[in-house]
Amino acid sequence: MIVVETVKEVREIIREKKKSGLKIGFVPTMGCLHRGHVSLLDVASKLSDYVVVSIFVNPIQFGPNEDYEKYPRTFEQDKIMCEKHNVHMVFHPSVKEIYPEGFSTFVEVEGQIGKVLCGAKRKGHFRGVATIVTKLFNIVEPDIAIFGQKDAQQAFIIKKMVKDMNIPIEIVVSETIREKDGLAMSSRNNYLSKEERAVAPIIKQALDEAYSAFLNNEIKASSLKKIVEKKISSCPLFKIDYVEIVDTVTFFPVEEVVKPSLLAVAAYLGKTRLIDNVFLTK
Ligand code: PAF
C-alpha cells in the first residue's frame, strides 16, 4: 500500500494502473475509519482491482459552528486499517493541495434534493460535499466509487450529480453498519460520553418502531414521524433536529407513504449530531 499526498502523483500512478487494464475502485473518507468504512473498503475490493481511499477532512463541508477543528484525525490507525483491508493507495492530501490559494469554483446542489433534511439544517454542507467529491473524482478517475447508506441523502446527491454532470463513474451504495445495540457506525460516535453512548441506540429503536408500524399498514407520515419523535424525546439527552419522510425520487416530504420513501432523522445527543434513516418500502 502506498500513501500519496499530491494530485500529480495520484494521476501518474492511476494512469499506469489503467494502462494495465485494472479497474479502479474508490472510497472517499474523512478518516477516523471504523467498521462502517471497512465494509466500504471490502465492497471496493470485491468490485475492483485497485482500491484507492482518500482521507481528507474537507473544511468546506463544515459550517462555521460545526466540528471541523475537533473532527477526529487518526491517520496512523487509519493507515493500518486500510492496509489490513487490501487498499492499494491512500490519498492523503493537505488542505493546500486541494484548495490552493485563489480556489473559487464550487459545485452547487440545486433543487429539492439539496433543500430538505440535512440540506435545510446544514447550509452549504452539500455544496462542500459535491465540490470535494467532484474534485476527488477528477483526481482519482475511478471506475466505481462506494458510499455508505447511513448518509443516504449524500448518496442520492452524488448519484444525481454524476448523472447530471455526465461523470462516468458507477456509484455503489453500501448498507449501514451498526454496533451490536443498533447504533449506526459514525466517526462522530467518538464524541459521545458514556452516558450519551448508552442511550444513543434509541434513534435506531425509534426508526424500527416506525418501520414496524409501517409494515402494519400505518401509511400516514405524521403518525410515523410522531412515533419516532415520541421515542427519541423520551430521553431528555436528545434534541431532535429533524424527523422527515421524503419521496426517494422527488425528495419532497410525503403525507402518505404510498411510494418508496426515506424516513430520516437527525438529533443532537448533547453536542453531538447523529443521523440515521430507514427506507419505507414493503
Ligand atoms: O461521507 C464522508 O465522509 C464525506 O462527506 C465525503 C464523502 C468523504 C466527502 O468529504
Side-chain angles (χ1 to χ4, degrees):
M1 188 183 85
I2 51 170
V3 176
V4 174
E5 293 178 356
T6 66
V7 173
K8 184 168 175 280
E9 213 184 330
V10 175
R11 288 222 166 103
E12 282 165 5
I13 296 165
I14 295 293
R15 200 167 303 141
E16 285 308 309
K17 300 298 167 193
K18 285 194 164 178
K19 254 195 220 155
S20 330
L22 298 186
K23 181 174 176 183
I24 313 294
F26 178 46
V27 181
T29 81
M30 298 205 298
C32 192
L33 304 183
H34 48 67
R35 276 201 290 118
H37 294 110
V38 163
S39 79
L40 305 183
L41 303 183
D42 292 344
V43 171
S45 283
K46 224 182 262 167
L47 300 179
S48 65
D49 310 307
Y50 190 85
V51 176
V52 181
V53 172
S54 62
I55 296 181
F56 178 67
V57 185
N58 176 35
I60 68 164
Q61 71 185 73
F62 291 80
N65 300 316
E66 294 185 0
D67 53 345
Y68 174 66
E69 296 297 339
K70 76 164 191 182
Y71 196 85
R73 286 146 170 99
T74 57
F75 186 60
E76 291 309 314
Q77 277 164 249
D78 294 346
K79 258 194 325 197
I80 294 169
M81 208 177 264
C82 286
E83 193 135 39
K84 257 198 201 154
H85 288 270
N86 308 313
V87 170
H88 299 91
M89 180 198 290
V90 172
F91 178 42
H92 185 231
S94 65
V95 173
K96 240 183 155 180
E97 179 73 7
I98 296 295
Y99 301 117
E101 229 182 282
F103 179 89
S104 67
T105 305
F106 297 85
V107 178
E108 286 288 354
V109 182
E110 297 286 345
Q112 181 61 16
I113 196 168
K115 284 198 187 112
V116 277
L117 314 177
C118 290
K121 296 291 181 174
R122 300 183 69 190
K123 294 274 178 249
H125 171 65
F126 287 124
R127 175 193 205 239
V129 170
T131 302
I132 187 62
V133 172
T134 300
K135 282 177 66 77
L136 291 168
F137 281 178
N138 285 336
I139 295 164
V140 177
E141 291 193 282
D143 297 284
I144 63 163
I146 330 291
F147 291 81
Q149 180 60 50
K150 200 209 66 159
D151 299 304
Q153 188 176 14
Q154 168 173 282
F156 274 106
I157 283 173
I158 301 299
K159 272 190 166 179
K160 183 150 197 311
M161 183 181 84
V162 296
K163 184 165 173 254
D164 286 351
M165 303 306 284
N166 306 96
I167 300 174
I169 297 172
E170 183 191 341
I171 305 301
V172 176
V173 182
S174 191
E175 63 169 350
T176 301
I177 303 298
R178 298 180 181 281
E179 300 282 1
K180 274 202 187 82
D181 58 11
L183 175 65
M185 294 261 175
S186 164
S187 306
R188 290 192 168 98
N189 294 350
N190 286 305
Y191 299 150
L192 300 174
S193 69
K194 219 171 156 196
E195 194 191 11
E196 289 164 350
R197 175 63 190 84
V199 298
I202 286 176
I203 295 182
K204 168 68 167 134
Q205 291 159 14
L207 291 173
D208 286 346
E209 279 184 22
Y211 187 65
S212 298
F214 171 69
L215 291 182
N216 284 318
N217 300 320
E218 177 58 84
I219 58 164
K220 259 174 73 186
S222 58
S223 306
L224 295 167
K225 287 196 289 187
K226 225 170 261 161
I227 292 171
V228 176
E229 285 159 2
K230 194 171 159 210
K231 178 77 184 178
I232 294 177
S233 308
S234 70
C235 172
L237 296 180
F238 279 106
K239 191 172 154 277
I240 292 174
D241 198 23
Y242 65 73
V243 176
E244 194 52 271
I245 302 178
V246 295
D247 182 297
T248 55
V249 176
T250 65
F251 264 75
F252 277 105
V254 299
E255 283 185 9
E256 290 193 337
V257 184
V258 287
K259 287 189 197 154
S261 300
L262 180 75
L263 165 52
V265 177
Y268 286 93
L269 183 45
K271 286 194 174 134
T272 306
R273 188 173 180 277
L274 301 176
I275 58 171
D276 204 345
N277 63 78
V278 65
F279 279 108
L280 300 178
T281 46
K282 284 186 186 167

